[in-house]
Amino acid sequence: ALAIQMAIDDFGGKVLGKPIELMSADHQNKADIAATKAREWLERDKVDALADLTNSAGALAVQKLIKDKGGIALYSGPATSA
């Protein structure tokens, strides 16, 4: 998280005039926790993008939410044929 915040700071902290805010959560490699946190961020906090989804079960759960709610998901390691 520290390295990501450093990259945000180096970039200038904004994109298209909007501030870049780092949020982090541990989904414990559980799809239900990943989906609950993603839903909370997408609906309540108006998050535009989710990144570093490394677990296949969590990534599949979040993918459905991204498709339904809109937004961007960046996957860095899931390996599933689904």
Side-chain angles (χ1 to χ4, degrees), residues 15 18-19 23 41-42 45-51 66 70-73:
V15 171
K18 291 177 142 182
M23 299 171 73
W41 284 351
L42 291 166
D45 299 327
K46 307 300 181 207
V47 168
D48 296 314
L50 302 171
I66 289 291
I72 299 168

Side-chain angles (χ1 to χ4, degrees), residues 63-78:
Q63 180 177 327
K64 178 164 178 22
L65 284 170
I66 289 291
K67 188 174 182 181
D68 293 344
K69 305 280 182 196
I72 299 168
L74 306 169
Y75 303 100
S76 58

Side-chain angles (χ1 to χ4, degrees), residues 25-40:
D26 180 7
H27 56 69
Q28 302 168 22
N29 290 331
K30 297 179 181 176
D32 59 332
I33 295 173
T36 299
K37 184 51 74 174
R39 181 180 302 281
E40 178 183 311

Side-chain angles (χ1 to χ4, degrees), residues 1-63:
L2 178 59
I4 295 168
Q5 187 60 55
M6 290 172 62
I8 291 169
D9 294 343
D10 285 349
F11 187 73
K14 292 185 179 185
V15 171
L16 301 174
K18 291 177 142 182
I20 302 168
E21 181 181 345
L22 173 64
M23 299 171 73
S24 177
D26 180 7
H27 56 69
Q28 302 168 22
N29 290 331
K30 297 179 181 176
D32 59 332
I33 295 173
T36 299
K37 184 51 74 174
R39 181 180 302 281
E40 178 183 311
W41 284 351
L42 291 166
E43 292 177 354
R44 186 189 72 195
D45 299 327
K46 307 300 181 207
V47 168
D48 296 314
L50 302 171
D52 201 20
L53 299 161
T54 58
N55 170 273
S56 295
L60 289 171
V62 169
Q63 180 177 327

